[in-house]
Amino acid sequence: RYIMISQPRLPGLSKEYIPDFMYISRDSKSWKPVMVELKLPNRKVFLEGSTTTRQKFNKAKQQVEKCMDWFESNKDVFSSEYLGNMGYDGENIEPKAYLVYGRRSEFEENPEQRDRRARIMQRYGTRLTSYDGLRFNYATKSWVTVKYKSQGKYVAKKVQPLFEMSPAFAKGLPY
């Protein structure tokens, strides 16, 4: 709930498919591991004047899909690796993924590219967004970016400049 895991370890998944970040959210009926894959903001999704996607984009999309495939067959591995000390009690696990790729200016003036882009990633609860779609979420001011070691142990990599700690945050901290 309060950590962003840098390059999370997903046992059995090739290193080339590991996402840049993962955070875990929860609602009353399920746990939601959310993978975030970032590519350079200057990368283009489409070939010039076309709705054909570029090879680098296809590779990034495949990376996200492979990661989501891993979750489909490894929910038990994920739960024992990441949820054991967070109060996991057999609830559903519903993975999600974001691919952050390029800028809105590439497709905003081209209706065909805009429509194609909206349909590119509809599999497995994945979402494609451009860097222009990112917004600061004040709720993340108390998040810490960590590197997962093993068995519920983390090492802090980055603490937000606005980081705030209080007794209200103590409940549910996994570290």
Side-chain angles (χ1 to χ4, degrees):
R1 206 155 140 178
Y2 301 105
I3 58 174
M4 176 72 77
I5 303 164
S6 173
Q7 298 180 317
R9 192 172 84 83
L10 303 175
L13 183 65
S14 173
K15 286 185 180 189
E16 69 184 298
Y17 299 120
I18 297 294
D20 292 321
F21 297 97
M22 176 178 72
Y23 65 91
I24 304 168
S25 67
R26 181 177 185 196
D27 61 27
S28 61
K29 63 179 182 168
S30 62
W31 291 84
K32 294 176 172 50
V34 181
M35 275 65 59
V36 180
E37 182 61 32
L38 302 169
K39 297 301 180 190
L40 294 173
N42 63 349
R43 286 205 179 157
K44 306 274 189 213
V45 173
F46 301 107
L47 295 173
E48 198 66 40
S50 166
T51 58
T52 303
T53 54
R54 294 178 181 263
Q55 185 175 357
K56 284 186 178 183
F57 173 79
N58 293 335
K59 187 175 179 184
K61 181 178 179 254
Q62 179 187 32
Q63 178 182 357
V64 170
E65 289 172 344
K66 290 280 188 186
C67 188
M68 294 301 283
D69 288 343
W70 181 90
F71 270 95
E72 288 303 309
S73 55
N74 290 283
K75 290 179 181 177
D76 57 333
V77 174
F78 170 77
S79 66
S80 66
E81 194 77 19
Y82 286 95
L83 302 179
N85 66 343
M86 293 176 72
Y88 178 70
D89 194 23
E91 299 94 342
N92 289 333
I93 296 174
E94 300 174 5
K96 306 233 180 269
Y98 289 90
L99 173 57
V100 182
Y101 200 101
R103 304 300 287 211
R104 186 177 296 135
S105 59
E106 175 191 7
F107 58 86
E108 68 185 347
E109 299 296 323
N110 184 324
E112 292 163 343
Q113 286 181 341
R114 215 173 36 246
D115 292 344
R116 169 86 170 103
R117 188 180 177 285
R119 296 186 317 270
I120 286 177
M121 295 183 71
Q122 293 184 346
R123 180 179 168 222
Y124 290 112
T126 58
R127 183 169 177 206
L128 172 63
T129 189
S130 70
Y131 276 82
D132 305 290
L134 300 178
R135 301 283 184 265
F136 176 73
N137 181 339
Y138 191 75
T140 64
K141 71 183 178 119
S142 295
W143 286 23
V144 176
T145 302
V146 299
K147 182 75 176 168
Y148 180 77
K149 291 301 184 184
S150 68
Q151 299 176 336
K153 304 286 186 219
Y154 301 89
V155 173
K157 291 185 73 170
K158 174 134 177 76
V159 176
Q160 297 287 2
L162 299 174
F163 183 77
E164 171 183 298
M165 197 62 176
S166 74
F169 294 125
K171 185 177 182 194
L173 286 175
Y175 45 88

